[in-house]
Amino acid sequence: MKRELPCFFGDWLQDKKTVKELRIIQHLTVKELADKIKLDTVDILKIDDQRLRDIAEPLRSKLTPIPGGDYMDNMTWL
């Protein structure tokens, strides 16, 4: 079954990048990412060195919009 991810990243996102690399691409600190997906910073640090495809589904679905910048669509002041 193929996962749906932003077309900008495609297979490159699924196969090669870790959460830390994707976080740095969006210029987010651990605290900022934790605030956006409503988790504790310790939880983000635990998964920081894992690939996005290796993370369990409930958490992966929260993290998937972040690398593509899709979380910015909900900001009404922009």
Side-chain angles (χ1 to χ4, degrees):
M1 185 166 102
K2 186 171 169 113
R3 293 185 297 255
E4 294 295 323
L5 290 174
C7 62
F8 176 76
F9 289 100
D11 293 332
W12 170 73
L13 174 68
Q14 294 176 7
D15 294 335
K16 307 221 186 225
K17 296 296 181 180
T18 64
V19 173
K20 183 177 183 176
E21 291 169 333
L22 296 171
R23 180 175 54 79
I24 290 172
I25 288 171
Q26 285 294 321
H27 305 286
L28 295 172
T29 63
V30 173
K31 184 170 177 22
E32 291 170 340
L33 180 60
D35 289 341
K36 289 190 186 327
I37 62 172
K38 296 177 178 70
L39 282 178
D40 196 23
T41 56
V42 175
D43 296 331
I44 300 296
L45 288 172
K46 286 179 184 176
I47 62 165
D48 220 15
D49 293 325
Q50 293 181 359
R51 291 181 181 170
L52 190 60
R53 67 178 179 174
D54 296 336
I55 296 174
E57 180 51 42
L59 184 55
R60 184 180 340 133
S61 63
K62 289 182 180 181
L63 288 170
T64 302
I66 301 298
D70 294 341
Y71 67 95
M72 298 288 281
D73 294 342
N74 297 334
M75 297 181 181
T76 57
W77 62 87
L78 293 178

